[in-house]
Amino acid sequence: MSAEAPSAQAADLASYVCSHVLDRSRPVLLVIREYDGDWIAACGGDDHEQSSESWFVVGWGHVLEWNPAVGDIETLERGEEAERSAVTAPWVVSRLSWCNL
Ligand SMILES: [Zn+2]
């Protein structure tokens, strides 16, 4: 096993995922670290309801387990997001521009 395993502390964090990431029908293509430190992992699609029924809380460790590439962006700072166009594409990190967070 790798000595670089994510810290238990990070794996215990709660994160928000969309229904597609939860049922693993789509890969994670968008990860957001909110200003309060919460993680959001989504498929990047624009077909989500803006209601709480589309979003679920799971341990961050599960997200990493389902999508190991997400481990590449665990260094994301608060207020940053990482996006990729496909699972084979590199992550592109940018500052959150939304003013309503
Ligand atoms: Zn989704």
Side-chain angles (χ1 to χ4, degrees), residues 5 7 9 14 22 38 40 42 44 65 67 72 77 95 100:
S7 72
Q9 191 180 9
L22 181 73
D38 283 348
I40 300 172
E65 187 185 321
N67 298 270
D72 295 345
E77 305 274 348
R95 295 295 299 177
N100 61 343

Side-chain angles (χ1 to χ4, degrees), residues 18-21 26 42-45 47-48:
C18 72
S19 55
H20 310 109
V21 170
R26 297 183 195 170
C43 66
D47 53 345
H48 301 112

Side-chain angles (χ1 to χ4, degrees), residues 16-18 21 27-33 39-45 48 55 60 63 70 73 76 80-85 91-92 94 96 98:
Y16 298 89
V17 299
C18 72
V21 170
V28 173
L29 296 182
L30 173 66
V31 175
I32 298 168
R33 191 160 188 215
W39 291 88
I40 300 172
C43 66
H48 301 112
W55 298 91
W60 182 240
V63 177
V70 172
I73 46 155
L76 218 57
E80 285 185 341
E81 64 176 11
E83 199 171 5
R84 55 182 177 168
S85 52
W91 292 102
V92 177
S94 55
L96 289 176
W98 311 335

